[in-house]
Amino acid sequence: MNSMTGFGRAKLEKEGREYLVEIRSVNHKYTDITVKAPRNLLYLEDKIRKTVLRRVARGKIDVFISYANYGTEGKNVLINKELAKIYIQELAELAEENDIPNEIRASEILKLPDVMNLQMDEDDSESIWLELLECLEDALDNFIEMRAIEGNKIKQDLEERLEQIAENVDEISEFSTGLIEEYIVKLQERIKELLKTDVIDETRLAQEIVIYSDKCSIEEEITRLKSHIEQFENLLEIGEPCGKKLDFLVQEMNRETNTIGSKSGKLEITNLVIELKTQIEDIREQIQNIE
């Protein structure tokens, strides 16, 4: 189980080229990847996104890339000599027309717009991608490792809370078994008290018991709640992204708990329902950070 919060960093130096990759992520309902790279590497943005997507399922992910090339491999210096000659001619005419010294140096001409350009070989672009990919994979390894550590902590917390929920459900089930019997006794006593007689219409009493049994029975809700707990436990062990499935299960668990609370009139069950809702809400907050 992985958390959606994480950080990874890697650095690579090779043949005068230096790469630095940093990856950060926070919670997000879907997968949102933002790549921030130098202008001369923006053509690799799609490849970077696909590489991250192969290893990350969900979260708002920011990838920061810095790059510096201190070597000469793959670089070609191009001098536009024709343009330089035009600059020289125009500067010479300007000096002559204004009677000023004409001391033009080649280094100064090279600084003029579009005279000297640095061009990288196309073959070298593939080398840069392979080197950047190596650095990116290292950063992803560190990034995923941190997410796994955080995810393991969340998993342990969820298991403890789920165990408490299962215990509360068992207690509710025990309290619910005697509800009908208690109701029958109370109903008989109430009828005797109101009618001042020991004679009770058994047919009418049976009808009332059936109506009450149907109204307050929570066996189906308890069965479904236990099923959801078992599914939740299984998802914690599958070893793949399950945040969305867990979120759906928590909604279902909360729905069953609300139904139990609305059906039951027993104080002990009501108190346990409050505890259940508190635990479920805590779980819901935790799984918002699960991939």
Side-chain angles (χ1 to χ4, degrees), residues 8 23 55 134-146:
I23 306 174
R55 302 187 61 184
E134 181 182 345
C135 187
L136 179 60
E137 292 287 5
D138 288 343
L140 280 169
D141 288 341
N142 297 329
F143 172 71
I144 292 172
E145 181 181 1
M146 180 176 178

Side-chain angles (χ1 to χ4, degrees), residues 68-82:
N69 189 345
Y70 302 109
T72 58
E73 184 181 349
K75 292 181 179 178
N76 294 312
V77 177
L78 300 179
I79 297 178
N80 191 333
K81 295 181 180 179
E82 296 301 320

Side-chain angles (χ1 to χ4, degrees), residues 78-93:
L78 300 179
I79 297 178
N80 191 333
K81 295 181 180 179
E82 296 301 320
L83 181 60
K85 289 178 182 179
I86 295 174
Y87 276 125
I88 293 171
Q89 182 180 346
E90 292 295 325
L91 289 172
E93 292 179 1

Side-chain angles (χ1 to χ4, degrees), residues 152-173:
N152 189 52
K153 293 179 181 178
I154 295 174
K155 178 184 175 183
Q156 292 175 0
D157 181 73
L158 291 176
E159 288 174 339
E160 292 174 3
R161 295 182 186 279
L162 211 58
E163 183 178 351
Q164 182 60 53
I165 286 176
E167 291 177 3
N168 288 344
V169 172
D170 288 339
E171 289 185 49
I172 290 174
S173 181

